[in-house]
């Protein structure tokens, strides 16, 4: 099946620094990738839709200046948490769907990245 | 907008007992429906999906789900659970189309004990 890889899987940073998380589709091209955030014991909240070659589409309430998304190629999207604060600590998960059509509809998920801001 | 309701936040069950995890969705138009499982500190793994066709969908690890359009439900079932099935289970819905995200329910914690 399709594989989506995230890196790093865990990152600890100091408050005020920026952290970049990479999401790669290893064996397929994805014009669209999705970034989710998961709080402890909570569901996945869609943060934004990452579109290759264009600006990301952010969900209501998500600060686009805080969470910078870049989709530079058909296999790579990055999420940068800028000037991170402890409340940004969370589990961030990316996902992608192979193909340019609806296809199987299935989203493939990365392994997730746990961010801890001290 | 689409929404998903998982009616039970926690389901405790004994090993080898049957289990049903309930899921209802909001839209009455064409939808794709999914169940994902998440083990601690890991990403999501697809259990099964409904796109069209037969309303009874069989997935991995012995799970199955039935799509009921009139009741807008997609409940997950397993006739006999194992300790290893202990995990978080998420129901999700999306509109058909490559550019649409999945909308998740709040999850159900399945705890299987011996």
């Amino acid at each position: 099946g399709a594989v989506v890889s995230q890196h790093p899987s865990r990152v600890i940073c100091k408050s005020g620094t920026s952290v970049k998380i990479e999401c790669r589709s290893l064996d397929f091209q994805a014009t669209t990738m999705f970034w989710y955030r998961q709080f402890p014991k909570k569901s996945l909240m869609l943060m934004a839709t990452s579109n290759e070659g264009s600006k990301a589409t952010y969900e209501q309430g998500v600060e686009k200046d805080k969470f910078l998304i870049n989709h530079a190629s058909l296999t790579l999207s990055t999420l940068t948490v800028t000037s991170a604060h402890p409340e940004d600590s969370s589990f961030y998960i990316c996902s992608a769907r192979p193909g340019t059509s609806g296809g199987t509809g299935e989203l493939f998920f990365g392994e997730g990245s746990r961010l801890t801001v001290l | 907008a689409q929404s998903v309701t998982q009616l039970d936040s926690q389901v405790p069950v004994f090993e080898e007992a049957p289990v049903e995890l309930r899921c209802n969705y909001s839209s009455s138009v064409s939808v794709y429906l999914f169940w994902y499982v998440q083990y601690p500190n890991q990403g999501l793994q697809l259990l099964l999906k409904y796109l069209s066709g037969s309303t009874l969908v069989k997935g991995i690890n012995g799970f199955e789900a039935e799509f009921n359009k009139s009741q807008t439900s997609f409940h997950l079932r397993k006739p006999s659970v194992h300790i290893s099935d202990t995990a978080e289970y998420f129901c999700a819905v999306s509109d058909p189309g490559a550019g649409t995200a999945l909308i998740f329910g709040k999850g159900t914690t399945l705890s299987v004990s011996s």
Side-chain angles (χ1 to χ4, degrees), chain A residues 2-25:
Chain A
V3 179
V4 175
S5 178
Q6 259 182 266
H7 178 80
S9 58
R10 293 177 182 271
V11 57
I12 301 173
C13 69
K14 293 182 179 180
S15 186
T17 61
S18 294
V19 173
K20 180 185 286 188
I21 301 171
E22 292 187 346
C23 177
R24 295 182 184 272
S25 56

Side-chain angles (χ1 to χ4, degrees), chain A residues 6-118:
Chain A
Q6 259 182 266
H7 178 80
S9 58
R10 293 177 182 271
V11 57
I12 301 173
C13 69
K14 293 182 179 180
S15 186
T17 61
S18 294
V19 173
K20 180 185 286 188
I21 301 171
E22 292 187 346
C23 177
R24 295 182 184 272
S25 56
L26 297 185
D27 51 2
F28 66 96
Q29 293 182 333
T31 55
T32 305
M33 291 184 175
F34 305 95
W35 286 95
Y36 290 85
R37 180 175 179 175
Q38 186 178 33
F39 296 94
K41 304 288 186 182
K42 295 290 185 183
S43 183
L44 283 80
M45 180 192 77
L46 178 65
M47 298 176 64
T49 301
S50 173
N51 304 300
E52 189 269 335
S54 63
K55 292 183 179 180
T57 304
Y58 290 82
E59 295 299 303
Q60 190 174 7
V62 177
E63 298 177 61
K64 60 181 66 177
D65 295 329
K66 157 71 76 175
F67 299 101
L68 299 180
I69 291 173
N70 182 275
H71 196 148
S73 75
L74 288 171
T75 59
L76 174 63
S77 175
T78 60
L79 168 68
T80 302
V81 183
T82 62
S83 187
H85 287 95
E87 58 265 30
D88 298 325
S89 298
S90 195
F91 195 53
Y92 294 89
I93 306 177
C94 73
S95 66
R97 180 182 286 121
T100 56
S101 66
T104 65
E106 177 183 354
L107 275 182
F108 292 89
F109 287 83
E111 309 94 328
S113 299
R114 182 161 300 285
L115 170 63
T116 303
V117 185
L118 303 177

